[in-house]
């Protein structure tokens, strides 16, 4: 596919020049691709949750990330000191996001500030809503307890609250990943944060692309971080969602499969460095793909008198929009020319709804469908960013990773499942959605110079 088919001028075409990932399958691109292309399982025994109070024993834990400064990638001494100093006001989700961004910047070759204009470089980054850990208030609560082991609330303002770290809130604000990265790297351009659960990654990338196309920046970082492995959040998901109950971790996450029994809790972050094609060409950058467009849809079932399938409708809305944008950019819509990277949560009802939304747009003989959650579960807001990195690498290596057990797809999910090693096509669509009916997606093509 020639990139010359686009009608946009080079300063409005947006390309991917850097990829960063922190995931259950690794935090460097080589390890990540080696693992996912080999069908490795990133679901393992959890050591980050108290097992005496949790129902989830296995999950997609990013054990490759310990919080050591080396986990943030190659950094000069000043940047190492800045990040280490501020880790005391970063919860794990924020650390994961900062690390993914630093890794992406390094991968793009733009970690050297002399290669970018600070006022023309920005960031749009997503996250889940981040819960404060109860431990933040433990000392204050203890200070208020009386002789009868009761907590008199009137004592809290004068006795309890002074025991709480005054900077505690900074550790949990969802805008902090973007703020930290912008400060560390002197990114003075547009900055924004997005918090719409699993739809956050694609929504962030879509906004970053729009920022470059309207001329407000030459370079943007975009992506998201997420974790469903914080203790209170894990308890919440265990009571509000269907989680997998298999004993074998390699069979726990089965998007669209007959045997799927529920989702898998996970954590991770992904980041992309986006540039205008003109800027990337001027510095001779390696290009990993071109963003043809992004789309979003929100469908609230509660607002309708008749029962509707909000996930199906939102997914089909997004996919149709992305197919139109890809066609307008000159992409080939023949089934063999592209693949769909589905959200694929492995939740029985949600998978069915997503599959119906896909079939509504492409029929049962459409492009092959894969889902990286097969390998590491649901990483929350960070999922789609990590999945987009995976599909970009598939385009680069010219082979696609398949679904777990593709030969055993649920009849109610009439998709064409991808098998390991099948050709990925020349472009792909990434789909993601939240349980509340918010969906988002992007379409990316392999870049071939004219």
């Amino acid at each position: 596919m020639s990139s010359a088919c686009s009608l946009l001028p080079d300063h409005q075409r947006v390309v991917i020049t850097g990829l960063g990932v922190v995931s259950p399958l690794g935090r460097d691109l080589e390890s990540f691709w080696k693992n996912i292309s080999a069908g490795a399982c990133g679901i393992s025994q959890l050591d980050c949750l108290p097992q005496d109070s949790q129902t989830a024993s296995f999950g997609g834990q990013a054990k490759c990330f310990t919080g050591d400064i080396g986990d943030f990638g190659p950094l000069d001494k000043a940047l190492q000191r800045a990040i280490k100093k501020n880790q005391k006001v970063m919860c794990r989700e924020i650390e994961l996001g900062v690390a993914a961004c630093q890794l992406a910047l390094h991968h793009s070759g733009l970690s050297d500030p002399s290669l970018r204009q600070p006022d023309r470089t920005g960031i749009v980054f997503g996250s889940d809503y981040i819960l404060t850990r109860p431990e933040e208030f433990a000392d204050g609560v203890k200070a208020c307890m009386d002789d009868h082991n009761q907590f008199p609330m009137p004592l809290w303002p004068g006795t309890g609250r002074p025991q709480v770290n005054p900077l505690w809130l900074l550790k949990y604000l969802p805008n902090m990943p973007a703020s930290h990265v912008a400060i560390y790297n002197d990114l003075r351009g547009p900055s924004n944060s997005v918090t719409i659960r699993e739809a956050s990654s694609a929504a962030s990338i879509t906004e970053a692309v729009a920022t470059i196309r309207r001329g407000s920046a030459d370079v943007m970082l975009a992506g998201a971080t997420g974790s469903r492995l914080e203790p209170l959040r894990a308890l919440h998901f265990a009571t509000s969602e269907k989680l997998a109950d298999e004993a074998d971790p390699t069979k726990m996450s089965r998007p669209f499969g007959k045997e799927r029994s529920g989702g898998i809790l996970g954590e991770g972050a992904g980041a992309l460095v986006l540039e205008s094609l003109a800027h990337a060409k001027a510095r001779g950058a390696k290009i990993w793909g071109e963003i043809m467009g992004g789309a979003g849809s929100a469908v609230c079932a509660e607002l309708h008198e008749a029962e509707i399938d909000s996930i199906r409708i939102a997914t089909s809305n997004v996919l149709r929009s992305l197919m139109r944008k890809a066609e307008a950019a000159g992409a080939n819509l023949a089934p063999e020319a592209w693949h769909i990277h589905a959200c694929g949560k492995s939740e029985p009802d949600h998978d069915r709804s997503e599959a119906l939304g896909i079939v509504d747009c492409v029929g049962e003989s459409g492009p092959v469908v894969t889902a990286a959650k097969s390998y590491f579960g649901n990483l929350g807001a960070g999922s789609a960013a990590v999945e987009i990195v995976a599909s970009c690498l598939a385009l680069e290596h010219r082979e696609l990773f398949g679904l777990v057990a593709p030969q055993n797809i649920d009849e109610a999910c009439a998709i064409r499942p991808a098998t390991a090693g099948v050709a990925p096509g020349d472009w792909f669509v990434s789909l993601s959605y939240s349980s509340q009916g918010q969906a988002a997606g992007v379409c990316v093509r392999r870049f071939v110079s004219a």
Side-chain angles (χ1 to χ4, degrees):
M1 176 191 301
S2 171
S3 60
C5 60
S6 174
L7 300 178
L8 292 173
D10 283 1
H11 69 275
Q12 288 187 316
R13 292 174 62 184
V14 179
V15 294
I16 302 167
T17 58
L19 304 169
V21 66
V22 181
S23 78
L25 292 179
R27 60 175 178 80
D28 66 272
L29 296 177
E30 183 178 353
S31 298
F32 178 70
W33 175 250
K34 180 181 178 181
N35 285 327
I36 199 167
S37 61
C41 180
I43 300 167
S44 60
Q45 183 82 42
L46 295 173
D47 59 24
C48 59
L49 294 178
Q51 292 300 303
D52 57 345
S53 61
Q54 296 285 343
T55 59
S57 299
F58 292 89
Q61 185 177 346
K63 294 182 179 179
C64 60
F65 185 84
T66 66
D68 182 85
I69 193 62
D71 294 346
F72 291 80
L75 307 170
D76 62 34
K77 294 296 183 182
L79 196 49
Q80 284 186 357
R81 287 193 297 269
I83 293 176
K84 286 179 71 172
K85 178 181 177 182
N86 285 283
Q87 280 185 275
K88 63 179 179 291
V89 288
M90 293 186 206
C91 67
R92 183 169 173 84
E93 283 168 80
I94 292 176
E95 287 184 314
L96 294 171
V98 171
C101 287
Q102 294 301 150
L103 289 165
L105 271 175
H106 175 75
H107 184 240
S108 72
L110 287 175
S111 53
D112 181 351
S114 67
L115 299 177
R116 45 187 160 84
Q117 296 182 49
D119 294 343
R120 300 283 300 169
T121 308
I123 182 170
V124 183
F125 210 72
S127 72
D128 291 312
Y129 63 90
I130 304 176
L131 293 184
T132 301
R133 295 179 73 99
E135 297 92 315
E136 298 289 346
F137 309 112
D139 290 342
V141 171
K142 289 176 183 177
C144 294
M145 301 299 283
D146 61 22
D147 294 338
H148 303 288
N149 204 31
Q150 298 295 309
F151 175 74
M153 188 63 194
L155 292 180
W156 178 255
T159 304
R161 191 171 59 184
Q163 302 299 316
V164 178
N165 185 330
L167 300 179
W168 69 270
L169 189 57
L170 293 179
K171 295 172 68 174
Y172 305 101
L173 290 173
N175 66 309
M176 290 310 293
S179 298
H180 283 296
V181 173
I183 292 169
Y184 301 147
N185 298 282
D186 194 26
L187 311 183
R188 305 178 199 169
S191 178
N192 206 346
S193 301
V194 177
T195 309
I196 45 176
R197 293 198 174 183
E198 289 90 345
S200 299
S201 291
S204 297
I205 293 168
T206 300
E207 175 59 25
V209 169
T211 301
I212 294 173
R213 284 184 174 168
R214 66 175 176 256
S216 298
D218 299 315
V219 181
M220 293 290 291
L221 267 164
T225 181
S227 176
R228 294 159 67 89
L229 294 179
E230 189 277 330
L232 286 181
R233 292 202 77 200
L235 282 173
H236 168 72
F237 289 123
T239 58
S240 63
E241 296 182 3
K242 176 66 175 170
L243 298 183
D245 56 12
E246 279 86 357
D248 182 353
T250 65
K251 298 179 180 179
M252 294 188 95
S253 186
R254 294 196 171 193
F256 309 111
K258 283 182 180 179
E259 295 86 0
R260 70 189 187 279
S261 60
I264 301 293
L265 304 179
E267 63 176 1
L272 310 179
V273 174
L274 306 176
E275 294 183 55
S276 71
L277 179 57
H279 190 275
K281 279 182 173 179
R283 68 182 190 90
K286 158 74 176 175
I287 295 174
W288 294 83
E290 179 175 4
I291 309 284
M292 293 184 287
S297 178
V299 180
C300 182
E302 286 75 13
L303 296 180
H304 296 262
E305 293 182 4
E307 185 174 336
I308 65 167
D309 188 335
S310 59
I311 292 172
R312 176 180 183 174
I313 297 170
T315 295
S316 63
N317 287 345
V318 169
L319 182 52
R320 281 197 182 92
S321 177
L322 293 175
M323 290 172 65
R324 287 195 297 268
K325 291 179 180 182
E327 186 175 31
N332 182 357
L333 265 62
E336 66 276 8
W338 56 300
H339 72 269
I340 295 175
H341 198 141
C343 193
K345 294 182 181 180
S346 196
E347 297 174 17
D349 292 339
H350 290 179
D351 276 9
R352 190 178 305 112
S353 294
E354 183 180 17
L356 288 169
I358 292 171
V359 172
D360 287 344
C361 297
V362 300
E364 296 184 9
S365 57
V368 294
V369 176
T370 193
K373 289 185 183 69
S374 295
Y375 303 93
F376 47 62
N378 190 345
L379 313 183
S383 289
V386 174
E387 292 155 12
I388 290 166
V389 170
S391 276
C392 285
L393 293 175
L395 293 186
E396 177 74 12
H397 291 278
R398 308 307 297 145
E399 65 175 276
L400 188 59
F401 44 91
L403 284 173
V404 172
Q407 74 284 357
N408 207 16
I409 295 297
D410 184 351
E411 293 87 347
C413 301
I415 59 166
R416 283 184 61 212
T419 55
V422 69
D426 290 318
W427 63 285
F428 69 89
V429 161
S430 168
L431 297 174
S432 52
Y433 63 85
S434 72
S435 302
Q436 290 70 40
Q438 300 155 308
V442 294
C443 48
V444 180
R445 69 179 168 198
R446 188 165 66 97
F447 183 85
V448 179
S449 5

